[in-house]
RNA sequence: GGGGGCGUAGUUCAGUUGGUUUAGAACGCCGGCCUGUCACGCCGGAGGUCGCGAGUUCGAGCCUCGUCGUCCCCGCCA
């Protein structure tokens, strides 16, 4: 193999006409015309057309005609400009071809289980069962589209590393075999052979280590790091995923914003997209009230409006009862869609199927026609109430109002928020080319879970400034805000972080808020609390989901398109067949015995 | 853990209310022809445990039950 002379397809252009070139790659497509044979050779950079003419070289032609899809070949030939009528403007290299003088088949290929060639990708036509793709992932990744995804991911991470290096950040690796943390997701556990009956946990994030690095005086840390969470999968969730983990000392929230925003801008610039700055800040409460979500999609308006006060005396009984029992009525204005939303859709589809799926009992609809409302329930609304509704929701002719009412105001936000997204998607009101980032801030410190207080972010987050409530003052605790922030782009949470507690007394109080006993704190975070006693600097940080960020920037539908070897929905790897059983001897080493799985009685 | 969809050729799918002998299509694959294709074209061919098991029926790809696999929604994901 003369690897020294070998070139990539993309490096050969019309400027190389007449040059001798050496290419290595795979047989992409074959077009046999009898006395003329065309073969596309593919490498990671692209494809080039090879031409084989028996009148030029019979032996090479014969060898080429034995080639099949995905055979690995090495060729030497001459670059020729194609005649004008033979040029193909649809292909990057369509104005040249290689007259081949020597062809070597380095390896044959079985017929692949799906077409690898780029032609299968055209018009997004590639449609193969994902489990089959994962089983033959090496072939799937050989597809030009997937090759590009991995290459672009690497380029984007290079931008990240260069940027953070320039900002003085130090890349530090943290342990994969570490200690189980009590809160959050389920841990992946690794049994210890040396320490009988003891387990390591794989990190859900390097949270405590990066804080310890701040106490180590490192000042600015980052890491592109795998994190593990043993929870059920979702389309955009993998059991192991990659985070861009960042922490800095002697900083505040504004530092994080000023660090991350230019980075996001630079990453998007790599694919030619301009991101508007500065990113707007939306307090959590506002996000919930106006968008019904803590990750608002700002690519479209359709804000939620509270119309309860407009309808206090309405004669419509359902609304009346809900308002009387402390409930809320909120609405959205689906602009200009009156003609595209039929009564049967609104009444049968939306009210009876879609909204119940979101957890709502129903939805009221009204169309604005000739300055008046039209609806199946409009007779219950006085002229004044109709006018007030139109004004509250900024109604114009052709608009459609959708109202959600419930005795539980939080539920109203949640359902209407989902409906807002549903309607925007269904009616095509989202500008798919837009990039709409924002910071969601001022999250509550705690939420109630099964009657217990639990951290919304994590227990190392600093609460808002000021005296902390006592552990028994639940009313104040639930109102307490935290110095945390989420980065949201196009309705997807791409990361989050906070300013941390560096004062051991305040940290201890937070553990007490969470009802952790002295001994529990000692057992779970003893080393960390101890570290806080030795001069911990004020610090904070953020973690960004790399898989999500990359797939969003590249416009891919799933994070699995930008992960080389992902797991399927059941956290199984069809390629390696992981997870799998282990030998008795291995279990013996680990002092483990498998318990039989109980068979459900029928 | 709960609810739903899907499982037919290598791939993507069709298959009527259960009805006949040989379960179809496109792409892919194999063979032949073809000197400018690039979604090449033309002719021919091979290829099927209808996921698996039981049941209903004179008869099941189709109906019922179970099971396995997979995808989606909810729970879960500090």
């Amino acid at each position: 193999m003369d690897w020294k002379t070998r070139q990539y397809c993309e490096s050969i252009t019309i400027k190389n006409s007449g040059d001798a070139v050496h290419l290595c790659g795979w047989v992409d497509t074959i077009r046999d015309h009898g006395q003329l044979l065309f073969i596309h050779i593919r490498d990671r950079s692209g494809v080039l057309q090879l031409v084989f003419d028996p009148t030029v070289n019979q032996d090479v032609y014969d060898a080429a005609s034995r080639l099949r899809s995905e055979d690995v070949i090495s060729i030497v030939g001459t670059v020729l400009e194609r005649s004008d009528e033979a040029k193909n403007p649809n292909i990057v290299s369509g104005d040249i071809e290689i007259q081949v003088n020597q062809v070597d088949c380095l390896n044959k290929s079985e017929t692949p289980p799906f077409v690898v060639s780029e032609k299968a990708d055209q018009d997004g036509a590639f449609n193969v069962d994902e489990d089959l793709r994962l089983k033959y992932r090496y072939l799937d990744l050989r597809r030009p589209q997937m090759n590009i995804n991995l290459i672009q991911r690497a380029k984007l991470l290079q931008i990240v590393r260069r940027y953070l290096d320039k900002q003085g950040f130090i890349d530090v690796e943290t342990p994969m075999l570490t200690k189980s943390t009590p809160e959050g997701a389920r841990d992946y556990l690794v049994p210890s052979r040396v320490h009988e009956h003891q387990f390591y946990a794989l990190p859900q994030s390097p949270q405590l280590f990066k804080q310890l690095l701040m106490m180590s005086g490192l000042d600015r840390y980052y890491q592109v790091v795998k994190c593990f969470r043993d929870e059920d999968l979702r389309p955009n969730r993998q059991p192991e995923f990659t985070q861009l983990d960042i922490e800095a000392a002697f900083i505040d929230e504004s530092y994080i914003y000023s660090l991350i925003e230019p980075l996001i801008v630079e990453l998007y610039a790599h694919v030619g997209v301009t991101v508007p700055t500065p990113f707007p800040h939306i307090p959590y409460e506002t996000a919930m009230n106006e968008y019904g979500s803590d990750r608002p999609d700002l690519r479209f308006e359709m804000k939620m409006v509270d119309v309860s006060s407009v309808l206090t005396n309405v004669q419509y009984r359902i609304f009346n009862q809900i308002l009387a029992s402390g409930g809320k009525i909120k609405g959205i204005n689906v602009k200009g869609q009156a003609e595209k939303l039929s009564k049967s859709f609104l009444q049968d589809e939306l009210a009876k199927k879609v909204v119940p799926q979101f957890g709502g009992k129903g939805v009221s609809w009204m169309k604005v026609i000739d300055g008046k409302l039209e609806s199946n329930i409009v007779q219950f609304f006085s002229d004044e109430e109709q006018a007030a509704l139109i004004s509250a929701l900024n109604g114009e002719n052709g608009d459609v109002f959708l109202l959600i009412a419930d005795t539980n105001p939080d539920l109203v936000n949640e359902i209407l928020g989902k409906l807002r997204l549903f309607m925007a998607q269904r009616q095509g009101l989202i500008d798919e080319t837009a990039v709409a980032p924002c910071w969601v801030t001022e999250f509550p410190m705690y939420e109630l879970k099964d009657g217990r207080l639990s951290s919304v972010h994590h227990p190392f987050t600093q609460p808002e400034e000021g005296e902390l409530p006592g552990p028994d003052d639940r009313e104040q605790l639930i109102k307490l805000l935290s110095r945390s922030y989420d980065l949201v782009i196009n309705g997807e949470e791409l990361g989050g972080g906070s300013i941390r507690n560096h004062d051991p007394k305040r940290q201890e109080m937070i553990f007490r808020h969470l009802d952790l006993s002295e001994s529990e704190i000692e057992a779970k975070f003893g080393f960390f609390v101890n570290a806080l006693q030795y001069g911990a600097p004020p610090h904070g940080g953020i973690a960004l989901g790399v898989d999500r960020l990359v797939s969003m920037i590249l416009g891919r539908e799933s994070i699995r398109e930008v992960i080389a070897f992902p797991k399927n929905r059941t956290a199984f790897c069809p390629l390696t067949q992981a997870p799998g059983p282990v030998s008795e001897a291995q279990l013996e080493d680990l002092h483990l015995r498998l318990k039989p799985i109980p068979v459900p009685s029928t």
Side-chain angles (χ1 to χ4, degrees):
Chain A
M1 256 327 286
D2 189 3
W3 51 268
K4 288 176 189 160
T5 57
R6 176 266 179 118
Q7 286 175 275
Y8 282 130
C9 289
E10 73 174 351
S11 70
I12 316 289
T13 68
I14 197 158
K15 290 181 192 138
N16 300 96
S17 296
D19 292 358
V21 290
H22 174 202
L23 301 167
C24 292
W26 284 262
V27 172
D28 188 84
T29 43
I30 301 168
R31 286 180 299 279
D32 185 353
H33 287 246
Q35 292 307 297
L36 194 64
L37 175 62
F38 299 105
I39 290 181
H40 278 180
I41 184 173
R42 179 185 66 239
D43 62 28
R44 73 167 205 207
S45 73
V47 296
L48 267 183
Q49 173 163 288
L50 311 177
V51 60
F52 298 89
D53 187 338
T55 64
V56 173
N57 189 324
Q58 183 73 44
D59 289 345
V60 167
Y61 172 84
D62 288 343
S65 53
R66 285 191 292 272
L67 294 173
R68 291 296 177 266
S69 293
E70 300 312 315
D71 286 349
V72 184
I73 58 173
S74 170
I75 67 103
V76 175
T78 309
V79 182
L80 298 179
E81 180 176 358
R82 298 191 200 176
S83 65
D84 281 348
E85 61 277 13
K87 286 182 180 171
N88 184 350
N90 303 317
I91 296 176
V92 182
S93 58
D95 50 2
I96 53 168
E97 62 194 359
I98 312 296
Q99 179 79 58
V100 179
N101 309 318
Q102 188 193 329
V103 58
D104 292 305
C105 180
L106 304 178
N107 216 343
K108 296 292 291 177
S109 172
E110 295 288 323
T111 301
F114 48 81
V115 180
V116 175
S117 168
E118 44 136 30
K119 73 181 180 187
D121 250 336
Q122 280 177 359
D123 308 322
F126 188 78
N127 173 29
V128 173
D129 181 67
E130 194 162 359
D131 243 44
L132 190 71
R133 291 176 56 194
L134 293 181
K135 183 176 175 187
Y136 296 94
R137 191 60 160 177
Y138 43 92
L139 290 177
D140 190 36
L141 294 179
R142 194 187 290 168
R143 293 166 45 228
Q145 181 63 71
M146 296 301 281
N147 250 241
I148 288 167
N149 288 353
L150 294 186
I151 291 166
Q152 290 298 350
R153 179 185 175 122
K155 299 268 183 231
L156 289 169
L157 281 173
Q158 280 302 314
I159 292 172
V160 166
R161 291 181 184 282
R162 271 199 296 270
Y163 176 84
L164 289 174
D165 183 62
K166 206 185 281 176
Q167 302 287 329
F169 281 79
I170 311 295
D171 182 359
V172 182
E173 293 172 76
T174 52
M176 288 291 118
L177 295 175
T178 180
K179 198 174 176 183
S180 175
T181 50
E183 278 194 81
R186 216 173 277 120
D187 287 313
Y188 275 100
L189 297 176
V190 180
S192 164
R193 177 183 56 82
V194 178
H195 302 275
E196 298 119 0
H197 297 182
Q198 306 293 310
F199 292 81
Y200 301 99
L202 303 181
Q204 292 182 30
S205 81
Q207 183 60 37
L208 292 180
F209 288 109
K210 68 173 172 174
Q211 291 192 240
L212 291 172
L213 287 170
M214 293 303 101
M215 299 169 207
S216 314
L218 211 75
D219 204 60
R220 286 173 196 206
Y221 143 92
Y222 86 98
Q223 187 181 189
V224 176
V225 62
K226 275 283 180 74
C227 301
F228 305 85
R229 293 179 190 177
D230 187 5
E231 293 292 345
D232 287 353
L233 271 55
R234 281 294 152 81
N236 251 0
R237 219 190 282 162
Q238 283 278 306
E240 50 178 317
F241 58 98
T242 306
Q243 279 196 347
L244 171 59
D245 199 42
I246 293 174
E247 197 78 4
F250 308 109
I251 53 106
D252 61 10
E253 289 89 337
S254 64
Y255 172 81
I256 298 291
Y257 304 147
S258 66
L259 177 74
I260 298 301
E261 290 184 19
L263 175 60
I264 298 294
V265 167
E266 203 176 323
L267 289 171
Y268 267 100
H270 177 69
V271 293
V273 173
T274 305
V275 179
T277 55
F279 299 178
H281 294 199
I282 303 180
Y284 170 84
E285 201 185 342
T286 309
M288 294 310 291
N289 279 328
E290 295 185 352
Y291 303 98
S293 168
D294 60 0
R295 45 186 179 97
D297 192 334
L298 302 182
R299 285 175 298 177
F300 60 100
E301 276 280 324
M302 218 193 285
K303 281 189 192 173
M304 299 163 24
V305 177
D306 192 336
V307 294
S308 309
S309 62
V310 171
L311 300 173
T312 37
N313 295 315
V314 76
Q315 291 305 298
Y316 188 44
R317 213 177 51 178
I318 297 171
F319 282 6
N320 229 311
Q321 285 170 349
I322 283 168
L323 288 176
S325 52
K328 277 225 154 89
I329 305 168
K330 295 180 78 163
I332 51 174
N333 181 352
V334 190
K335 276 262 164 230
Q337 298 291 306
E339 279 180 27
K340 293 181 187 157
L341 292 167
S342 69
K343 186 175 163 185
S344 73
F345 168 77
L346 293 165
Q347 223 147 292
D348 301 334
E349 259 319 280
L350 209 58
K352 292 191 180 130
K353 286 180 190 154
V354 178
V355 170
Q357 237 169 18
F358 295 159
K361 292 175 190 73
V363 59
S364 303
W365 59 270
M366 294 160 185
K367 293 183 176 182
V368 186
I369 310 277
D370 296 331
K372 297 220 145 205
L373 290 180
E374 270 189 34
S375 164
N376 58 332
I377 54 165
V378 77
Q379 64 271 26
F380 299 110
F381 297 80
S382 68
D383 287 350
E384 291 74 26
E385 281 164 342
Q386 291 193 33
L389 264 180
I390 292 174
S391 145
L393 285 161
N394 262 320
E396 295 171 314
N397 284 337
D399 291 354
V400 178
F401 298 163
L402 298 176
L403 305 183
I404 296 284
D406 201 282
T407 50
N408 179 347
D410 292 339
L411 206 55
V412 173
N413 282 343
E414 191 189 318
I415 297 161
L416 194 57
K418 287 179 181 171
L419 191 57
R420 173 181 175 270
L421 275 177
F422 176 85
M423 293 308 294
Q425 275 158 12
R426 184 180 189 276
Q427 303 305 114
L429 305 176
I430 300 177
D431 176 3
E432 295 292 341
T433 66
V435 179
C438 66
W439 293 103
V440 178
T441 62
E442 294 165 58
F443 280 84
M445 184 76 187
Y446 303 116
E447 63 189 336
L448 272 177
K449 226 174 215 178
D450 305 324
R452 286 192 55 193
L453 227 48
S454 151
S455 297
V456 168
H457 193 51
H458 57 56
F460 314 105
T461 299
Q462 197 175 125
E464 58 185 321
E465 317 255 343
E467 185 105 355
L468 288 177
D472 300 323
D473 191 355
R474 193 162 264 199
E475 203 174 316
Q476 286 306 310
L477 284 175
I478 208 78
K479 285 186 193 160
L480 191 63
L481 300 179
S482 70
R483 294 181 65 182
S484 61
Y485 32 81
D486 275 2
L487 175 63
V488 174
I489 300 181
N490 296 356
E492 183 149 23
E493 183 196 329
L494 290 181
S498 63
I499 304 301
R500 330 291 186 189
N501 293 302
H502 62 279
D503 178 350
K505 291 199 183 65
R506 280 173 79 89
Q507 182 64 65
E508 200 192 322
M509 181 59 95
I510 284 158
F511 287 141
R512 285 179 56 203
H513 288 163
L514 294 167
D515 206 22
L516 290 169
S517 73
E518 203 77 29
S519 58
E520 279 175 305
I521 297 168
E522 178 54 33
K524 289 163 183 166
F525 309 113
F527 70 99
F528 183 76
V529 174
N530 211 22
L532 286 173
Q533 323 272 350
Y534 288 93
H539 62 287
I542 191 168
L544 303 182
V546 167
D547 309 304
R548 286 185 185 183
L549 189 62
V550 171
S551 62
M552 184 169 284
I553 290 171
L554 297 183
R556 299 290 165 267
E557 252 171 49
S558 158
I559 60 171
R560 295 186 303 273
E561 299 295 300
V562 298
I563 297 173
F565 299 101
K567 308 273 187 291
N568 73 10
R569 179 60 179 253
T570 61
F572 179 74
C573 174
L575 174 63
T576 62
Q577 303 275 298
V582 296
S583 70
E584 272 304 319
Q586 284 173 296
L587 289 175
E588 191 65 33
D589 269 352
L590 298 167
H591 323 286
L592 290 178
R593 195 168 60 231
L594 298 182
K595 203 173 146 185
I597 297 160
V599 182
S601 53
T602 39

